[in-house]
Amino acid sequence: MKVVEQIKNPISHEMELFEEKFRLSMASRIPLLNRITYFIVNRKGKQMRPMFVFLVAKMVGNGQVNDRTYRGAAVIELIHTATLVHDDVVDESFKRRGFFSVNSLWKNKIAVLVGDYLLSKGLLLSIDNKDFDLLQIISVAVREMSEGELLQIEKARRLDITEEVYYDIITKKTATLIAACCSLGACAMAPESPDVEKMRKFGELIGIAFQIKDDLFDYGNQRIGKPTGIDIKEQKMTLPLIHTLNTVSKKEKKWLINSVKRYNRDKKRVREVIQFVKDHGGLDYAVNAMYDYKNRALEILNTYPDSEYKTSLLMMVDYVIDRKK
């Protein structure tokens, strides 16, 4: 059995029900919208975010879930899908999970409107059911994600990102949504309990480890595969590069910045930058940081009694670190 299927096993019934409810939550009287949302639903990914919601809910709720859990999972998936549709427009990306993206098939204007529609459906699902506590969690996540994207754009122009700013960006851009999933799962079952904040922190730590793992894919090694250099080509400041920039001489720092700014399309120079970062400990530093965040997340999880849901969450933590793509 694949790892993802093993993780999903204790919530397989809930995930089946969720898929049906999620499809219904997207419904519209506009035929064009229904065609596009049908296209989106049939190209779903691993659905890690709803899995976090259900696993946390069942761990906190002694194996139970309620209608709020399903709505929380649907809201998070609607918001996540909206951000992916908008991201493809912003990044001018024409592929998503190996398929054509919405903007490549229906153009940017329609893609932006579809993203707005999904966002509004998510917010209304909470409002119509008076899930104001869940709405607050997801609204904070949307605000943070927008701030993170804009902060990254602002800083990328000058390549002057410190580690502190880097962590601020990835916490807002990536970790905040996973934190919201875990927080929603707890809040759906135990509103106003300490579990809500504990699980938010757990999700944030996992989200940061997840993003550092993404950074490492650019450099490759025996576990990850051959280097891609895509982040360098796109002038993205990743943790291995930031650490190296902050620990080398002025001359070497100038060469590195110059390489990323002016020679980021030169394959030979990109390979030299990758090797330079490896030789100066940037990769090892990032790997150690990733494991540190993983261990801090496990400390929180291990305060809960053993259950099949906790076991699946432990497997999810390992999956975030060990995944191959």
Side-chain angles (χ1 to χ4, degrees):
M1 197 190 295
K2 286 184 178 176
V3 177
V4 175
E5 292 306 312
Q6 282 180 277
I7 294 168
K8 208 184 276 190
N9 200 40
I11 52 164
S12 55
H13 173 67
E14 286 79 9
M15 288 300 290
E16 278 179 34
L17 263 177
F18 162 74
E19 287 196 24
E20 184 57 36
K21 288 174 184 280
F22 180 59
R23 192 176 283 109
L24 289 172
S25 72
M26 281 187 165
S28 163
R29 291 198 298 264
I30 311 297
L32 174 61
L33 255 175
N34 284 330
R35 281 203 302 277
I36 297 171
T37 54
Y38 178 82
F39 171 84
I40 291 169
V41 167
N42 285 334
R43 281 150 190 82
K44 63 181 184 292
K46 298 183 186 77
Q47 294 188 307
M48 282 176 66
R49 286 155 190 85
M51 284 162 65
F52 269 121
V53 175
F54 286 114
L55 286 170
V56 168
K58 292 192 93 172
M59 183 179 75
V60 169
N62 296 316
Q64 302 297 311
V65 295
N66 56 21
D67 286 342
R68 274 163 54 89
T69 316
Y70 285 100
R71 291 196 294 270
V75 167
I76 211 87
E77 196 68 349
L78 283 163
I79 301 298
H80 176 56
T81 307
T83 61
L84 294 183
V85 172
H86 282 163
D87 282 353
D88 286 338
V89 175
V90 171
D91 298 338
E92 298 177 350
S93 175
F94 299 113
K95 284 284 182 80
R96 166 70 60 183
R97 298 183 184 123
F99 295 96
F100 289 112
S101 58
V102 172
N103 53 304
S104 70
L105 294 172
W106 286 281
K107 306 303 178 196
N108 285 348
K109 185 175 182 179
I110 288 176
V112 169
L113 292 169
V114 168
D116 291 347
Y117 172 77
L118 294 173
L119 191 63
S120 68
K121 288 290 272 188
L123 300 178
L124 283 168
L125 184 62
S126 295
I127 293 167
D128 291 345
N129 291 282
K130 297 184 169 52
D131 295 327
F132 299 120
D133 50 354
L134 304 186
L135 180 62
Q136 183 175 16
I137 290 168
I138 197 63
S139 298
V140 168
V142 172
R143 183 196 69 200
E144 299 266 298
M145 286 155 66
S146 304
E147 286 180 351
E149 286 286 355
L150 289 164
L151 181 59
Q152 184 176 50
I153 290 167
E154 180 187 28
K155 293 296 180 180
R157 289 173 183 161
R158 293 175 57 192
L159 303 183
D160 63 346
I161 296 179
T162 61
E163 265 192 54
E164 186 183 357
V165 171
Y166 165 82
Y167 280 117
D168 193 17
I169 290 170
I170 69 167
T171 299
K172 284 177 158 67
K173 263 192 70 178
T174 304
T176 192
L177 195 61
I178 297 175
C181 296
C182 298
S183 186
L184 279 172
C187 189
M189 297 305 296
E192 298 182 25
S193 73
D195 295 311
V196 179
E197 174 56 23
K198 269 173 79 174
M199 285 292 99
R200 186 204 67 78
K201 190 64 186 173
F202 165 77
E204 183 179 275
L205 292 165
I206 288 302
I208 293 170
F210 183 95
Q211 185 56 55
I212 296 172
K213 175 70 172 186
D214 263 9
D215 288 1
L216 294 171
F217 283 132
D218 213 41
Y219 293 86
N221 61 26
Q222 288 177 341
R223 284 172 299 161
I224 298 168
K226 61 184 180 182
T228 62
I230 290 169
D231 287 338
I232 295 167
K233 287 170 195 160
E234 294 178 356
Q235 298 184 342
K236 284 183 184 170
M237 296 298 283
T238 58
L239 187 57
L241 184 59
I242 292 165
H243 175 73
T244 306
L245 277 169
N246 291 334
T247 54
V248 296
S249 67
K250 278 188 180 179
K251 186 181 176 183
E252 289 168 324
K253 185 174 182 177
K254 188 178 178 183
W255 175 83
L256 260 182
I257 290 175
N258 198 36
S259 298
V260 176
K261 271 191 171 180
R262 294 191 174 86
Y263 298 97
N264 56 315
R265 298 284 166 183
D266 181 332
K267 288 181 182 177
K268 182 173 178 287
R269 182 68 80 94
V270 169
R271 281 198 301 272
E272 287 173 3
V273 168
I274 287 172
Q275 195 56 51
F276 185 87
V277 170
K278 284 182 178 179
D279 291 344
H280 287 77
L283 203 65
D284 292 336
Y285 180 82
V287 168
N288 290 335
M290 177 180 71
Y291 279 108
D292 178 53
Y293 279 97
K294 173 193 171 179
N295 292 334
R296 286 164 61 189
L298 291 178
E299 282 175 18
I300 294 173
L301 205 50
N302 285 326
T303 62
Y304 288 86
D306 289 344
S307 67
E308 56 184 328
Y309 319 111
K310 177 183 169 181
T311 300
S312 279
L313 283 166
L314 290 167
M315 288 169 67
M316 187 85 102
V317 172
D318 284 334
Y319 177 74
V320 163
I321 302 299
D322 296 334
R323 66 200 164 96
K324 299 293 185 282
K325 60 180 179 176

